[in-house]
Each structure stands twice: as C-alpha cells, then as structure tokens.
C-alpha cells in the first residue's frame, strides 16, 4: 500500500512534467496494483484525486495514452464488469452480459470470472465527474489500434448500467463514431481487428442496454445491417459472434428494429450459425435472438425459407425422450418457436403445403405423444394451421378432430390445463367453416367439450364457450339440444357474473344469446328463464361492443315473440324498457342497435306491465325523431314503430 501511495504521489508530479519514461513506470505500477486488488486500488486512485489527472493525459500524441485508457477501463470495472482486458494470445468468449460473466480462454484452460459483489456504479460516476468522457470519445478518432481497444473498453465499462455514463457518451457523440468504426472495419478478419470489433460491439451494448431511446438511436444510425454483416463475415470468431448475438437480442426487443432486421439476411445467418452449434448454451443464445425476431411476420417467412423449421424438428427428435433438464428446456424452446412461426399467415401456409407437408405431418404425430410439451405444441400448431377455411376443411376430413378429442380425453381428470386450452382452441378454429359444423357435431365434439364444464380454470372455460358457440352457429338442432341442457345453462348463468374474467363473462353471454337465436325454441327460452339468464341478456344489450349488443337484442326479441308471458317479470325487473329508451335516445348508438331496439319495443307491446312502462317513458318523442334518420332501415322502422305505439296508446 505504501508503494501505491508513493506511485500516486509520483504520478502527480510526472503528470505535470510529462516525462514519458517516468510516467510510463507509474502507469505500469498502477496496472499491477489494479490486477492485484482492483477495488482497493480504485478507491485510492479516486481518493488521491488522480482520476482528474487522467483527463489531461488522454492525448493522441502521448505514447502512454493506451495505458491511461487501460487504467480507466480497469477502474470502471468496479460494480459489475463486462469488457475484460485483452492480453496477447488470449481468446475470449463472451456469454450473455446480463449475467455479468466473462469467460476467458487461454491455452491453459478456461476460467469463469463473475463480477457483481461491488455496489453498482461504484467507480463509474466518479469517472464521469472527473471529465474523462470527452477526451476518451476524442480518442476514438485515433489511428492507433491499441488506443482504440483500451478506449472502447473504458467507455464500455463506464456505460455499463450507468445512466450518467451513457448520458455523457451520448452528449459527446461517442456512439456514432463507434458505429462508423464497425462499418469501416467490418471486412477485416485479422485477430487484432476482431478483438477491436468485439470491444466496440460490447461498448455499444453497454451503452444501450435496456434503454429504448439509445437503442432507437443506434437503429437510426444503421447499426443493424452492420452487425448482421459482421456475423456473416466473422462467424468463425466465437467472441465476436456471441457479441453480435447479444447485440441482436438487445435490439430485437424494440419494435422499430424489426423492419430493419427484415431488410437484411439475418434469418439466413442465424440458421447457418444454429446448424453449426452443438453446445446447449450456444443454441440457447441463438434462441433468445430468434424468439423476438420471429414475432415479425416477414422474418417468420424468412426463417422458414432459411430452413429453421427442419433444425427445430431435429432438436425435437433428439430430445423427446431425454430426462436431462437442459434437453427438456431445449425441447420446449424449439417446439414453442415452431408454434410462433405458424402465427404468420404466409409462413403457416408454406408449412401446411396443402396438408401434405412434412412439417404438418410431424406436428400431427405430436398429438398422441406422451410428452405434454409436444401435445401442447401439436395442439397449438393445429390451431394455427386452422386459420382459413381451406385448411380447416382438409384437417377435419383427414381425421384431426378425433385425434384432438382423444387428447382431451387423456387430460379430462386432473389434466394439463395448457393442453386442454390448446386442444379446445384447435377445435374452436376448426368449427368455423359452415361445412365442418355438422361433421364435428356428428363426431361427438359437443360431448367431448361438455366434459370440461366442471373446469374452474378461466382459460379452459373461455375456449370451451367459444367452441360451443362456433359449433351451434346456424345449427338449430344442436342449439336446441344444448339450450335444454340445464347443467350447461346454469353454468353459463354463473359465468355471466364472472366479473374477474371479462373474456369468460362475455363468451357466456354470447353463448346464452346464441342458444336462443339459433334454436328459436320455446323450451330453450324456458330453460334460460328458469335458470335466471334473462337479466344477463338485458345487461348484454348495454355492452360496449356493438356485436354483443345486437346479439342480445335479437335474442330478447325472440323471447318477446315466443315466450313473453314466461319472461315478463324478469324483463321488467331487469329494467329492459328503460335501457331501450336510453339506446334509442343515444346519438352514439349504431343504426342496427336502434333498429333492433324498435323491433323489440313492438314485441313487448303484448305485455301489459311492459306496455305501460313504454307509455310512461314517452317513447313516441324519441321515435318520431328517428323517422328522419339517415339510415333508411332505421327511418322505416321508426315509422312502423310510431304507428304501433300510436294504435296501442
């Protein structure tokens, strides 16, 4: 420690005299001290006021500049490090920097060094306060490769997790200079240049990590095409390749980056790199980049065309029977990514290949698998393939419905909720084409779905309701059969009050309405009245969604036309007439809502108490105004309703 104090005192004197030899000796002593005890040495450097001296020593003309920048880089490591020093002959492999780990590889073997025990920003803010950023940024214009290397390290470490460091580099214009360097040095593959490129990539990532505005700035500077080019040219360099992957993962989360990525050959480069990887960790890094990129439909298609799906299927084949934790995780990641690729219309259709594609056939084989993850991915894939009528019709004709029902049977008692949800999603989508409904009903889908009526899981409830609603659309017999099912109707009425689950509540209301609209059955209406469903249909008429309002009004009109006496008290207590008055008086109500409200008013005239409510609310005043409505159907119905009310009054 005495030697360090002496060195710091001597440095103050030589910094003024600018005696190169003496200065270099002092700097070497500091580097040695930092190597032995970084934190304590850094504290002494700060406490002695030496940091401020470094600003004047960072001059392009001095032969000591690189060492000064090196010392700053070492000091700025305190708090959590990313950019380690490079020494001759070492090869470096960078793991994801959010883990704060750097793996150094030397001929003697690999050693992991983790940092994070010191307080955040321990020495970074002092480096900013000492005025080091501006001279460091100016050194980025140097032609000396060692100066550039150490300067990049220093700026990268100062920026790491430090708002002050990033802000200072931003104001000094450092990012643009580094981006320009990456662009100009991109094509050179000598080891020294690749080390420099790796440090510059790391510096930009530390500069922009988890900062949307700085990431957007880099994107606007055109860094993405440069990084993709780097990946292609330097794919044999592990350190630089991993740094590019970290950079992609960092930038790909930003929505504005997707378009720029899509204009490059990123898909081709990533798939090419993926095929070479054997280690789980390396593939995991690529997966972390692929997932956010694959959210973009254009990139989905590019990845499919580049052969990613074949790679994913190969992983599934390799890992499906393994019990190793890493293999199970990789199987999940690969199958999840498969499903994600199917969310794009073009990529999905390309993989479907008229139902004869290899990928589609592989996915089908996942359904009867004993692996829950593959069952889930298989069902979700079917749901995604079932996004147009042609695909749905082909799949139903090829027997997929039976496979999905078998899967549901296997998960009926204490089953996997995610698999239940996925299988129901697939059945719902398959039931959309009119031609499929009767086929699915005769296959027994209704009974298979009703087994899950006891489920207490909202996601399963939601898909169950949607599947039944799709199945009974324009299917009078099926709608009547379900509508007379007291257990089902009582469950629907219960779920209509599930205020914590808006989706379940909405679908329950819609199915209740659909049972009436498609069956037009008095027995169904009686079952719904007896189960207390009328008040929910009246409430549904006030929904913020026009389609739900309309469905409710049509169902209520059928109730009034077919079983008004049975429903009269419930309609009265639900304040239906007041709600209709409000809908007709509200200028924001859609034309179809006004039209169906007037049709319903006419139907209610057969009830004495409801008729009296209509008279008391002076409906004629509201309806007479609608005779001049711009919508001809509304205007015509207003005239008819006015005549009816006038006769009845």
């Amino acid at each position: 420690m005495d030697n360090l104090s002496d060195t710091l005192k001597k440095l103050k004197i030589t910094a003024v005299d600018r005696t190169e030899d003496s200065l270099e000796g002092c700097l070497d002593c500091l580097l040695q001290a930092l190597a032995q005890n970084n934190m304590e040495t850094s504290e002494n450097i700060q406490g002695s006021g030496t940091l401020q001296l470094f600003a004047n020593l960072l001059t392009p003309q001095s032969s000591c500049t690189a060492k000064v920048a090196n010392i700053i880089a070492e000091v700025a490591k305190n708090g959590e490090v990313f950019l380690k020093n490079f020494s001759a002959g070492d090869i470096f492999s960078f793991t994801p920097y959010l883990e704060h780990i750097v793996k150094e590889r030397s001929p003697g073997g690999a050693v992991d060094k983790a940092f994070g025990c010191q307080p955040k920003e321990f020495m970074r803010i002092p480096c900013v306060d000492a005025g080091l950023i501006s001279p460091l940024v100016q050194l980025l214009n140097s032609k000396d490769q060692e100066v550039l290397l150490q300067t990049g390290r220093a700026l990268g470490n100062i920026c790491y997790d430090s708002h002050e460091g990033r802000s200072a580099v931003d104001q000094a214009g450092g990012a643009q200079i580094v981006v320009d360097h990456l662009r100009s040095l991109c094509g050179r593959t000598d080891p020294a240049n690749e080390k420099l490129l790796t440090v510059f990539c790391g510096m930009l990532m530390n500069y922009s990590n988890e900062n949307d505005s700085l990431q957007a700035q880099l994107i606007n500077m055109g860094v993405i095409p440069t990084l993709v080019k780097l990946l292609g040219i330097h794919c044999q360099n592990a350190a630089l390749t991993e740094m590019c992957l970290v950079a992609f993962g960092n930038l790909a989360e930003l929505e504005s980056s997707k378009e720029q990525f899509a204009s490059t050959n990123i898909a081709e480069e990533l798939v090419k790199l993926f095929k070479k990887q054997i280690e789980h960790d390396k593939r995991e890094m690529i997966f972390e980049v692929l997932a956010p990129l694959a959210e973009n439909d254009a990139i989905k298609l590019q990845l499919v065309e580049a052969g990613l799906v074949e790679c994913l299927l190969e992983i599934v084949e390799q890992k499906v029977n393994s019990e190793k934790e890493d293999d199970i995780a990789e199987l999940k990641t690969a199958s999840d990514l498969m499903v994600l690729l199917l969310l794009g219309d073009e990529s999905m259709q390309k993989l479907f290949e008229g139902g004869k594609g290899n990928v589609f056939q592989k996915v089908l084989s996942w359904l009867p698998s004993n692996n829950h993850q593959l069952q889930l991915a298989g069902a979700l894939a079917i749901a995604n393939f079932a996004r147009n009528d042609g695909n749905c019709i082909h799949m139903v004709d090829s027997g997929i419905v039976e496979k999905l029902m078998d899967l549901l049977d296997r998960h009926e008692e204490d089953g996997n909720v995610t698999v239940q949800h996925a299988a129901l999603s697939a059945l719902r989508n398959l039931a959309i084409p009119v031609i499929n409904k009767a086929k699915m009903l005769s296959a027994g889908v209704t009974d298979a779905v009703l087994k899950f009526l006891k489920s207490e899981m909202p996601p399963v409830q939601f898909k169950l309701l949607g599947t039944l609603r799709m199945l009974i659309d324009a299917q009078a017999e099926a709608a009547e059969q379900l509508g007379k099912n007291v257990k089902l109707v009582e469950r629907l009425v219960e779920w209509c009050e599930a205020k914590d689950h808006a989706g379940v509540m909405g679908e329950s209301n819609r199915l209740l309405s659909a049972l009436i609209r498609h069956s037009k059955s008095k027995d169904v209406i009686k079952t719904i009245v007896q189960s207390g469903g009328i008040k929910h249909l009246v409430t549904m008429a006030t929904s913020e969604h026009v389609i739900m309002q309309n469905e409710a009004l049509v169902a209520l009109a059928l109730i009034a036309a077919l079983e008004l006496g049975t429903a009269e008290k419930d309609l009265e207590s639900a304040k239906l007439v007041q709600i209709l008055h409000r809908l007709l008086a509200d200028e924001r109500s859609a034309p179809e809502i006004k039209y169906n409200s007037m049709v319903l008013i006419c139907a209610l005239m057969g009830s004495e108490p409801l008729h009296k409510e209509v008279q008391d609310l002076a409906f004629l005043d509201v309806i007479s105004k609608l005779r001049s409505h711009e919508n001809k159907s509304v205007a015509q119905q207003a005239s008819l309703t006015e005549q009816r009310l006038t006769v009845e009054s």
Side-chain angles (χ1 to χ4, degrees), residues 57-113:
L57 296 176
L58 291 168
T59 59
Q61 300 81 12
S62 172
S63 61
C64 297
T65 299
K67 284 186 180 177
V68 176
N70 189 352
I71 290 169
I72 295 169
E74 292 300 309
V75 168
K77 284 189 330 192
N78 278 292
E80 285 148 331
V81 68
F82 179 46
L83 294 171
K84 283 289 290 178
N85 192 9
F86 286 109
S87 58
D90 285 350
I91 301 171
F92 295 84
S93 173
F94 288 78
T95 54
Y97 62 107
L98 287 179
E99 297 173 4
H100 316 317
I101 293 176
V102 174
K103 180 176 286 186
E104 283 190 22
R105 288 183 184 168
S106 64
V111 182
D112 280 351
K113 296 190 179 179

Side-chain angles (χ1 to χ4, degrees), residues 428-536:
R428 178 199 175 280
N429 286 0
L430 290 169
I432 292 173
V434 175
I435 196 171
N436 282 355
K437 297 181 193 297
K439 294 175 184 176
M440 291 177 70
L441 287 166
S442 63
V445 172
T446 306
D447 291 338
V449 170
L450 285 173
K451 289 176 184 176
F452 294 91
L453 204 58
K454 59 194 174 190
S455 174
E456 295 300 330
M457 304 305 293
V460 174
Q461 295 167 353
F462 180 74
K463 288 299 177 184
L464 176 153
L465 293 164
T467 304
L468 291 176
R469 187 165 62 82
M470 288 301 160
L471 281 170
I472 65 168
D473 188 14
Q475 304 297 309
E477 188 179 335
E480 182 167 12
Q481 188 178 352
L482 283 177
K484 291 191 291 187
N485 183 325
V486 177
K487 281 187 178 179
L488 170 63
V489 174
E490 286 179 348
R491 194 70 158 135
L492 291 181
V493 171
E494 179 189 336
W495 287 342
C496 280
E497 295 176 358
K499 291 185 170 61
D500 291 338
H501 303 287
V504 173
M505 186 167 70
E507 276 292 346
S508 299
N509 278 296
R510 294 190 75 186
L511 182 54
L512 212 54
S513 161
L515 292 171
I516 295 168
R517 288 184 294 109
H518 296 303
S519 71
K520 298 180 177 62
S521 161
K522 291 187 174 187
D523 289 338
V524 170
I525 293 169
K526 286 175 184 175
T527 303
I528 289 172
V529 171
Q530 288 163 9
S531 301
I534 295 299
K535 63 181 180 182
H536 296 299

Side-chain angles (χ1 to χ4, degrees), residues 224-458:
I224 288 174
T226 303
L227 289 171
V228 174
K229 195 174 175 184
L230 274 176
L231 182 66
I233 295 171
H234 302 274
C235 58
Q236 300 302 322
N237 185 298
L240 186 48
T241 295
E242 290 182 28
M243 190 62 78
C244 286
L245 291 174
V246 172
F248 293 146
N250 192 1
L251 297 171
E253 297 292 343
L254 218 61
E255 196 54 42
S256 60
S257 73
K258 304 290 199 301
E259 195 173 325
Q260 209 172 108
F261 272 117
S263 68
T264 70
N265 64 334
I266 182 69
E268 185 184 332
E269 294 295 351
L270 287 175
V271 173
K272 195 191 306 178
L273 187 65
F274 192 88
K275 288 176 179 177
K276 295 177 185 175
Q277 304 307 317
I278 300 171
E279 296 175 36
H280 167 79
D281 289 346
K282 300 291 173 62
R283 285 206 294 248
E284 192 63 29
M285 281 190 77
I286 301 173
F287 275 136
E288 286 175 7
V289 178
L290 288 169
L293 285 180
E295 290 171 7
N296 177 274
D297 283 358
I299 298 175
K300 282 186 182 76
L301 183 60
Q302 290 169 10
L303 289 169
V304 167
E305 290 173 340
L308 177 61
V309 174
E310 287 73 17
C311 297
L312 299 177
L313 290 175
E314 192 177 329
I315 287 174
V316 170
E317 292 293 323
Q318 291 170 355
K319 312 295 182 184
V320 66
N321 295 317
S322 174
E323 294 181 3
K324 291 181 184 175
E325 195 174 322
D326 281 353
D327 289 347
I328 293 168
E330 197 164 0
L331 174 72
K332 182 182 187 311
T333 305
S335 53
D336 284 348
L337 188 51
M338 262 294 297
V339 173
L340 182 57
L341 291 174
L342 292 172
L343 286 172
D345 289 338
E346 287 186 79
S347 55
M348 177 273 290
Q349 208 57 41
K350 188 173 182 67
L351 293 171
F352 188 66
E353 291 184 72
K356 297 172 184 174
N358 177 52
V359 174
F360 176 65
Q361 296 302 325
K362 284 279 187 186
V363 163
L364 281 188
S365 72
W366 295 353
L367 293 179
S369 161
N370 291 320
N371 185 300
H372 283 184
Q373 175 58 33
L374 284 191
Q375 292 171 358
L376 171 63
L380 288 173
I382 298 301
N384 285 335
F385 279 126
R387 289 212 312 279
N388 63 54
D389 283 4
N391 291 4
C392 289
I393 292 166
H394 176 87
M395 285 192 279
V396 168
D397 288 344
S398 63
I400 283 179
V401 169
E402 288 73 16
K403 286 183 172 69
L404 289 167
M405 289 196 296
D406 287 344
L407 182 59
L408 280 174
D409 277 345
R410 292 166 69 185
H411 288 274
E412 183 186 346
E413 296 297 330
D414 301 319
N416 185 300
V417 172
T418 55
V419 175
Q420 294 171 359
H421 177 263
L424 289 168
S425 297
L427 287 171
R428 178 199 175 280
N429 286 0
L430 290 169
I432 292 173
V434 175
I435 196 171
N436 282 355
K437 297 181 193 297
K439 294 175 184 176
M440 291 177 70
L441 287 166
S442 63
V445 172
T446 306
D447 291 338
V449 170
L450 285 173
K451 289 176 184 176
F452 294 91
L453 204 58
K454 59 194 174 190
S455 174
E456 295 300 330
M457 304 305 293

